[in-house]
Amino acid sequence: MSFKAVVIEKTDDVQGVGIKQFAIDDLMEGDTVVRISHSSLNYKDGLAITGASPVVRRFPMVPGIDFVGIVESTSAEGLNAGDAVLLNGWGTGERHLGGWAQKSRVPGKWLTPLPAGFTPEQAMAVGTAGYTAALCVLALQDGGVTPDSGEIVVSGAAGGVGSVAVSLLASLGYSVVASTGRAEEEGYLKKLGASRVIPRDELAAAPRPLEKELWAGAVDSVGSTTLANILAKTKYGGTVACCGLAAGMDLPTSVAPFILRGITLRGIDSVMAPPELRARAWELLDRTLDRSVLGEMTSVVSLEQAVEAAGDILKGKVRGRMVVKIED
Ligand code: NDP
């Protein structure tokens, strides 16, 4: 039996993307078949669909680094047909066929039970970007950064990771400084809980090794000079969670913030994070994330619209989170 999927193909170095009927026999190895109801648009999906960066490791590929759905059949221990599950990462949409399809076959150990406090649509409004934001917040907490430590700066604040990070941190009582290139999103960011909004230009110039100490911690999804500036402005003993590269992969910094201010740079990877850490992140989200604020930052699109939006996310034009609804 066939089903609908977005398929990325490559012939003679030319990449094409279309919505096709995909055969169930073409699904990849796994002990569990999931009927998908929602996926989402993440930055990596933008890279995969446009081919802007070689994240796709086999063709044909179905994009979608996350999904939520119902187990259709399984031989995995602890799983049953009818279970509501979600998936983040593990190489889906890169090496393993992803979530922009009506079905997926995966190893059952990649699946997380859908937390009772989230509808399927809300779980994908969080998606991999939001779950990564939660991993960043856990890194700050584990680093001993508390609401009393001082302000936390969030870069790329109007994007997916940034929006969820602002909201989560504000709900936990932190004072959040949101850095954005979109001045028109100041009202939006304050609604999410930011106490102050600063223009991204303040973090764009080449920094000196150390600048005035401003922030107790940071969630950075931008990288490059922005991250270098954040490190130079972080207070003594602070923690900076680094998860993204929206401005570039480079990091033009020095050892000064580390050896003179004892700052910790915590790398965040959502793809291969162990199940216990995933469970902590989803528990934090379930307990803390304001569902009406989550609704404010979310738009819901069809598979067709999601393909069209893939280029926009790379240009920083998508606000908050985009859920991809998989129609029957
Ligand atoms: P979005 O595109 O939604 O957000 C990125 C934001 O960064 C934009 O909205 C924009 O925010 C800002 N931005 C974009 N371009 C630039 C630029 N040239 N200079 C400065 N700021 C810029 O993407 P996501 O939030 O989904 O992902 C953000 C990053 O995090 C990506 O690099 C992604 O690959 C990474 N990521 C990493 C994960 C991991 O496991 N480590 C998991 C998930 C995401 P604004 O307009 O507010 O300035």
Side-chain angles (χ1 to χ4, degrees), residues 14-260:
V14 179
Q15 186 169 312
V17 183
I19 298 181
K20 301 207 162 149
Q21 285 299 312
F22 207 70
I24 196 119
D25 286 345
D26 293 334
L27 285 176
M28 296 175 78
E29 288 296 297
D31 52 23
T32 303
V33 175
V34 178
R35 173 113 201 151
I36 299 172
S37 65
H38 301 79
S39 181
S40 79
L41 172 65
N42 288 278
Y43 193 90
K44 204 180 266 173
D45 303 316
L47 294 175
I49 289 165
T50 60
S53 178
V55 297
V56 176
R57 301 295 177 180
R58 59 92 81 185
F59 294 93
M61 176 51 64
V62 174
I65 63 167
D66 50 24
F67 63 74
V68 64
I70 301 290
V71 172
E72 208 169 69
S73 61
T74 183
S75 58
E77 208 183 313
L79 274 178
N80 294 298
D83 286 353
V85 289
L86 64 83
L87 178 142
N88 296 110
W90 296 116
T92 53
E94 301 177 72
R95 292 182 295 276
H96 196 101
L97 299 175
W100 290 19
Q102 290 174 315
K103 289 185 194 226
S104 177
R105 183 160 57 208
V106 293
K109 63 182 181 205
W110 289 359
L111 299 166
T112 303
L114 176 67
F118 287 111
T119 64
E121 184 178 305
Q122 286 171 333
M124 281 301 106
V126 174
T128 296
Y131 141 70
T132 301
L135 292 175
C136 291
V137 173
L138 289 174
L140 298 189
Q141 291 180 328
D142 293 348
V145 180
T146 70
D148 291 335
S149 306
E151 288 182 327
I152 308 297
V153 67
V154 175
S155 61
V161 174
S163 292
V164 178
V166 169
S167 173
L168 266 185
L169 287 163
S171 294
L172 289 165
Y174 290 90
S175 184
V176 183
V177 179
S179 162
T180 184
R182 291 179 265 182
E184 69 277 14
E185 299 298 359
E186 177 163 356
Y188 164 75
L189 290 165
K190 288 201 162 152
K191 232 184 211 172
L192 300 192
S195 50
R196 291 199 294 130
V197 176
I198 60 169
R200 81 157 69 129
D201 289 352
E202 282 192 20
L203 302 174
R208 287 174 301 188
L210 292 175
E211 304 262 357
K212 187 171 174 215
E213 295 177 57
L214 295 179
W215 302 305
V219 173
D220 177 63
S221 58
V222 170
S224 191
T225 312
T226 301
L227 178 55
N229 270 285
I230 288 172
L231 292 169
K233 291 172 195 258
T234 298
K235 289 208 250 182
Y236 193 93
T239 294
V240 175
C242 153
C243 73
L245 43 58
M249 257 188 141
D250 60 322
L251 179 53
T253 188
S254 76
V255 297
F258 309 106
I259 65 171
L260 298 176

Side-chain angles (χ1 to χ4, degrees), residues 276-295:
E276 314 77 63
L277 187 55
R278 290 166 185 264
R280 275 184 76 202
W282 278 100
E283 190 278 324
L284 175 71
L285 288 157
D286 196 9
R287 178 167 37 91
T288 314
L289 196 61
D290 183 321
R291 305 309 196 265
S292 67
V293 174
L294 180 64

